Amino acid sequence: MEGDGFEVRIIDEEKGKGIFSLKSFKEGEQIFQEKPVICCQFSWNAEYGYSACDNCMSPLETAEENARRLAGKPDLVLPYPECCQTKKESIVACPDCGVKYCSAECQQESLSRYHQYLCHKSSNDPGSDSHPLVRLNEAWKQMHYPPETATIMLLARMVSMVQQCSDKEMILYTFGQFCRRAVNETQEISHNLLGEKYVGQIDMLREMAQSALNNEAVAHWFTPDGFRSILALIGTNGQGIGTSAFSRWVRNVSALELPMNKRMQVDKLIDRIYDDMEEVVGSFLNNEGSGLYKLQSAANHSCAPNAIVEFPYSNSTLVLKAVRDIRPEEEICISYLDDCALERSRYSRQKALSSLYLFICRCDKCLSQADDPNETSDDYDDNDDDGDDVDM
């Protein structure tokens, strides 16, 4: 697979694919942008009132509404309302199930790709606690509390895409291109979604998913081995997505040409709002979910990456950007861990990567620290492993 200035290649059986530059990229230069094959908001994130388009995850709150809710300041007023990009007048809802979209275009795209099947499946009292899809989602939530890294509802949309697609072989082939190892036999490690503590829950989850979603085209996804494989696909390949009406407003305001006194006032206001948000919601600032991206999934990890994933449009469109100069024929690597995790010890990084992504990292940084003691960083916590984080 070749793009403008890069190429996806098979490296070897263990690493699989990789992305390589065909030209020089300067620091800060965009390498590519990409829409997801499919994406979905996290279950708890939606439960807690983070309002996002059901198709592209664009915020449905205005920047002011978003800031009021997260800062716990119902009377907060933001200046420069023209810098808010949420268009409330464009928001539409499905007349049958009530899910909301940022625009009629997003609603139509959703309907044509996957929503028709899901909407039909949930048309009989979708809010009822006894509905199979509701019970499936609730069961997943009880297995995976925040910070979330995956959602079973992404599988629901994958099944729907297969069901609605006229070329089922093509869409199944697309999903088949994603890594789906439940275990790495060479390293004797298994994905953390499939650990021993989840054995009984996974069997229950599989039966519930089969009852709610199973159809002939994807019957192999609901065998015991097939279900573990599909969970591994979601957990390993799911790229974290974060969108925020307030952060987009901040970016737009920061681009304004303002007198020095006005700039100081607005900067102080922004700092104060972020401080208030920290007190109320901590680090949970964004509409959060995950998506499957064909190109991004081919990018390998490095603890000293030369590229970064961003979501500059505050929707599910991903941008891969160089964080330093990249030479022709150099592999383009991202970090699967957040900045904080990258500063931890080699042992802590390896622990997170083996649990979430089933490999032992051998990047230049890890090799240079090979003689470091196998000790966990003081601030390391298993619960901090939150997968492919995003940079807003």
Side-chain angles (χ1 to χ4, degrees):
M1 185 187 302
E2 187 171 326
D4 184 15
F6 66 90
E7 182 180 50
V8 176
R9 302 173 187 167
I10 300 295
I11 299 176
D12 55 41
E13 185 175 345
E14 182 177 355
K15 289 191 73 173
K17 300 174 184 176
I19 302 179
F20 291 82
S21 61
L22 299 178
K23 67 174 188 179
S24 295
F25 288 97
K26 294 294 185 182
E27 179 181 348
E29 185 177 353
Q30 176 179 305
I31 300 169
F32 64 76
Q33 73 175 37
E34 177 183 20
K35 289 187 175 183
V37 176
I38 194 71
C39 69
C40 187
Q41 187 178 6
F42 289 143
S43 300
W44 280 110
N45 191 260
E47 175 81 10
Y48 287 140
Y50 292 77
S51 184
C53 173
D54 200 58
N55 184 59
C56 76
M57 286 194 61
S58 290
L60 299 183
E61 293 176 303
T62 65
E64 189 169 84
E65 290 171 336
N66 188 225
R68 286 176 172 180
R69 179 172 62 85
L70 296 179
K73 304 287 186 181
D75 299 323
L76 177 66
V77 176
L78 293 183
Y80 311 107
E82 68 277 10
C83 289
C84 174
Q85 294 192 227
T86 304
K87 308 301 181 187
K88 300 284 281 189
E89 67 276 10
S90 298
I91 296 174
V92 296
C94 174
D96 295 318
C97 67
V99 299
K100 294 183 178 180
Y101 302 92
C102 65
S103 66
E105 290 76 16
C106 255
Q107 181 184 22
Q108 184 55 45
E109 181 180 337
S110 169
L111 193 65
S112 64
R113 295 180 71 233
Y114 61 87
H115 184 69
Q116 184 176 347
Y117 178 71
L118 277 184
C119 190
H120 173 73
K121 293 284 287 184
S122 62
S123 60
N124 296 321
D125 195 11
S128 170
D129 291 342
S130 63
H131 190 277
L133 279 175
V134 173
R135 290 192 293 111
L136 177 65
N137 191 36
E138 288 301 315
W140 176 267
K141 285 163 60 180
Q142 298 310 309
M143 289 175 63
H144 298 281
Y145 290 93
E148 299 169 271
T149 61
T151 172
I152 196 67
M153 301 313 289
L154 192 62
L155 170 59
R157 295 192 179 189
M158 291 167 64
V159 172
S160 300
M161 282 189 71
V162 174
Q163 178 66 21
Q164 289 191 212
C165 187
S166 58
D167 188 346
K168 289 182 171 43
E169 288 188 7
M170 181 274 292
I171 192 63
L172 286 170
Y173 173 81
T174 297
F175 288 132
Q177 297 306 294
F178 291 97
C179 173
R180 57 198 302 158
R181 288 187 302 176
V183 297
N184 183 331
E185 290 84 358
T186 304
Q187 306 295 343
E188 297 183 348
I189 50 182
S190 60
H191 195 278
N192 72 331
L193 290 181
L194 306 171
E196 291 183 3
K197 65 179 180 178
Y198 292 134
V199 171
Q201 293 172 308
I202 288 172
D203 287 340
M204 176 194 70
L205 201 68
R206 181 180 67 84
E207 292 174 0
M208 296 177 71
Q210 189 171 30
S211 172
L213 298 165
N214 192 21
N215 63 62
E216 185 176 344
V218 293
H220 58 291
W221 287 0
F222 295 98
T223 65
D225 287 343
F227 192 67
R228 290 174 62 85
S229 177
I230 211 71
L231 283 184
L233 184 156
I234 291 170
T236 304
N237 297 278
Q239 165 65 51
I241 301 169
T243 68
S244 166
F246 180 68
S247 68
R248 192 71 194 270
W249 175 86
V250 169
R251 182 177 298 173
N252 291 338
V253 168
S254 298
L256 295 176
E257 293 185 5
L258 299 175
M260 182 60 69
N261 64 324
K262 294 290 186 181
R263 172 60 60 197
M264 291 178 64
Q265 289 176 7
V266 75
D267 286 348
K268 287 182 179 179
L269 173 64
I270 291 170
D271 289 343
R272 186 166 67 249
I273 291 172
Y274 274 125
D275 287 342
D276 290 337
M277 289 179 177
E278 175 68 25
E279 289 187 12
V280 177
V281 297
S283 61
F284 296 97
L285 300 179
N286 298 334
N287 305 320
E288 294 182 345
S290 67
L292 301 178
Y293 295 81
K294 287 192 287 188
L295 283 176
Q296 175 274 337
S297 68
N300 286 313
H301 166 84
S302 171
C303 295
N306 55 15
I308 190 172
V309 167
E310 294 184 343
F311 293 88
Y313 309 113
S314 202
N315 59 25
S316 59
T317 297
L318 174 154
V319 168
L320 189 71
K321 186 177 77 174
V323 293
R324 62 170 173 78
D325 291 353
I326 298 175
R327 305 180 306 275
E329 293 302 311
E330 185 176 353
E331 185 176 4
I332 298 170
C333 294
I334 60 177
S335 172
Y336 296 173
L337 304 174
D338 63 20
D339 290 341
C340 180
L342 287 179
E343 296 304 316
R344 292 170 176 158
S345 69
R346 173 181 174 274
Y347 179 74
S348 294
R349 300 195 308 270
Q350 298 282 9
K351 186 176 180 181
L353 292 167
S354 63
S355 172
L356 291 164
Y357 301 103
L358 306 182
F359 70 90
I360 302 299
C361 184
R362 297 186 179 89
C363 71
D364 290 344
K365 182 176 180 178
C366 284
L367 291 176
S368 71
Q369 298 174 345
D371 294 331
D372 289 1
N374 287 337
E375 295 178 354
T376 302
S377 300
D378 291 340
D379 60 344
Y380 182 80
D381 187 328
D382 287 338
N383 292 327
D384 288 343
D385 299 339
D386 50 1
D388 287 348
D389 286 312
V390 299
D391 189 344
M392 292 300 295

